[in-house]
Amino acid sequence: MLRTWTLAIALGSITILPAFAVAPEKLTATERQQLLAARELVWRAWFANDQVTFKLLVPEETITIEAGKEAWGTRADALQEAEEFARSGAHLVRLEFSRTEIQRYGEVAILYSLYTVETAKNGKHETTSGRATEMFVHRNGRWLNSGWHTDVGK
């Protein structure tokens, strides 16, 4: 991708900033489709305890902030939680993103979404809805989910 630079002049000093620090870029239809597909794969891989796919799409440096948890998490924490979810006998019934807005700055995209997740365990269904902010980086030809912050409720 061609990098462009912007010159910023403030109080007698000159600073050169990458253009992505100034304004978001548009995703092409194909890029948007690839990004949303990667996001969907990450969520489904977690619920299916598909550790291989999850590791391909979630890099080591990932930081997570999740509703109800005081401590921030890591990729290792997310992998362990996926394993525990699967071991509990629960499974994903429905995953929906009713609204998603995307901002792209160079090789970084930020997704703001409303989500609904329905799971089942021992015949009992549970539905959770909330908001998610997810960071993706475009690296080696694919979108990687390098961090997220989720909450529940309205």
Side-chain angles (χ1 to χ4, degrees):
M1 165 176 267
L2 176 65
R3 298 254 188 240
T4 57
W5 298 86
T6 301
L7 181 64
I9 302 173
L11 301 174
S13 66
I14 297 175
T15 306
I16 298 176
L17 301 170
F20 66 82
V22 179
E25 302 169 17
K26 296 284 186 198
L27 287 163
T28 67
T30 300
E31 289 170 330
R32 181 179 172 84
Q33 178 187 19
Q34 291 169 344
L35 179 57
L36 293 176
R39 187 262 306 267
E40 181 102 5
L41 274 173
V42 169
W43 284 65
R44 290 190 180 279
W46 187 92
F47 281 104
N49 191 30
D50 180 348
Q51 303 261 327
V52 172
T53 300
F54 196 85
K55 287 178 183 178
L56 283 173
L57 296 171
V58 178
E60 289 258 355
E61 71 269 14
T62 296
I63 298 172
T64 68
I65 302 173
E66 299 181 31
K69 295 183 181 177
E70 189 171 323
W72 293 4
T74 64
R75 179 176 85 166
D77 295 329
L79 287 164
Q80 180 180 349
E81 291 161 1
E83 186 177 335
E84 291 168 2
F85 177 81
R87 202 174 28 237
S88 77
H91 66 277
L92 179 66
V93 174
R94 177 172 56 113
L95 172 63
E96 292 178 5
F97 298 97
S98 60
R99 179 178 178 188
T100 299
E101 300 291 332
I102 302 172
Q103 294 175 318
R104 179 187 184 167
Y105 301 93
E107 300 300 307
V108 175
I110 306 165
L111 283 68
Y112 305 90
S113 303
L114 298 177
Y115 70 89
T116 301
V117 171
E118 181 181 354
T119 58
K121 180 178 174 184
N122 300 325
K124 180 181 175 192
H125 289 242
E126 183 178 325
T127 301
T128 304
S129 295
R131 299 174 296 186
T133 304
E134 300 171 276
M135 286 58 67
F136 281 78
V137 295
H138 195 253
R139 187 183 299 159
N140 299 324
R142 76 168 53 132
W143 287 103
L144 304 178
N145 192 182
S146 64
W148 59 83
H149 182 181
T150 60
D151 68 17
V152 294
K154 297 186 181 205

